[in-house]
């Protein structure tokens, strides 16, 4: 028998923030955004609900950046770009890699039945590159 969860205003608010955020927020950032409107919200509530969303397949953990786990409410196949300078996490939709060819190639080459894959590119975002260039000009 499948258990049913009661509707929760806090859970709904956490989910709404996650779905509306394109910056892949951390638990702490979600908490900071919601706390003014939900004064009795605890950090533990945010942690527990994000764990529940991951378990239910409604959210995913992208990576740990600067010591904070970052989350994505978009569970459709896509990759991410992570700036090692400022910590920005950006979506990278790439149908050329997500069309199954990569999964099939790995399956065929290694005899491994791929169910899904994750791909993260680490580097320096355009904003940080521009700041670095400006600093170099000033020195």
């Amino acid at each position: 028998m499948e258990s049913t969860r009661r509707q929760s205003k806090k859970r709904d608010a956490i989910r709404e923030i996650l779905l509306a955020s394109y910056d892949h927020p951390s638990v702490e950032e979600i908490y900071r955004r919601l706390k003014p409107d939900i004064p009795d919200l605890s950090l533990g509530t945010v942690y527990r609900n994000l764990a529940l969303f991951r378990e239910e397949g409604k959210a995913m953990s992208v990576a740990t950046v600067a010591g904070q786990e970052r989350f994505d409410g978009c569970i459709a196949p896509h990759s991410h770009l992570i700036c090692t300078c400022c910590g920005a996490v950006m979506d990278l939709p790439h149908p050329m890699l997500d069309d199954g060819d990569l999964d099939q190639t790995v399956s065929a080459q290694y005899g491994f039945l791929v169910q899904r894959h994750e791909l993260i590119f680490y580097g320096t975002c355009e904003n940080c590159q521009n700041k670095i260039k400006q600093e170099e000009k000033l020195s």
Side-chain angles (χ1 to χ4, degrees), residues 106-122:
V106 170
S107 291
Q109 187 170 351
Y110 296 97
F112 185 84
L113 180 58
V114 176
Q115 296 168 336
R116 68 182 181 86
H117 70 270
E118 297 173 11
L119 184 60
I120 299 174
F121 294 89
Y122 293 88

Side-chain angles (χ1 to χ4, degrees), residues 62-79:
V62 176
T64 300
V65 179
Q68 293 188 327
E69 188 174 11
R70 305 284 288 275
F71 294 89
D72 196 342
C74 175
I75 56 169
H78 66 286
S79 294

Side-chain angles (χ1 to χ4, degrees), residues 74-86:
C74 175
I75 56 169
H78 66 286
S79 294
H80 293 93
L81 304 169
I82 298 178
C83 180
T84 56
C85 191
C86 70

Side-chain angles (χ1 to χ4, degrees), residues 41-93:
L41 180 69
S42 72
L43 203 51
T45 297
V46 179
Y47 273 106
R48 282 189 300 279
N49 280 285
L50 287 173
L52 175 68
F53 296 152
R54 271 196 320 240
E55 185 180 301
E56 293 176 342
K58 295 178 181 176
M60 62 187 226
S61 173
V62 176
T64 300
V65 179
Q68 293 188 327
E69 188 174 11
R70 305 284 288 275
F71 294 89
D72 196 342
C74 175
I75 56 169
H78 66 286
S79 294
H80 293 93
L81 304 169
I82 298 178
C83 180
T84 56
C85 191
C86 70
V89 180
M90 297 159 275
D91 287 329
L92 175 65

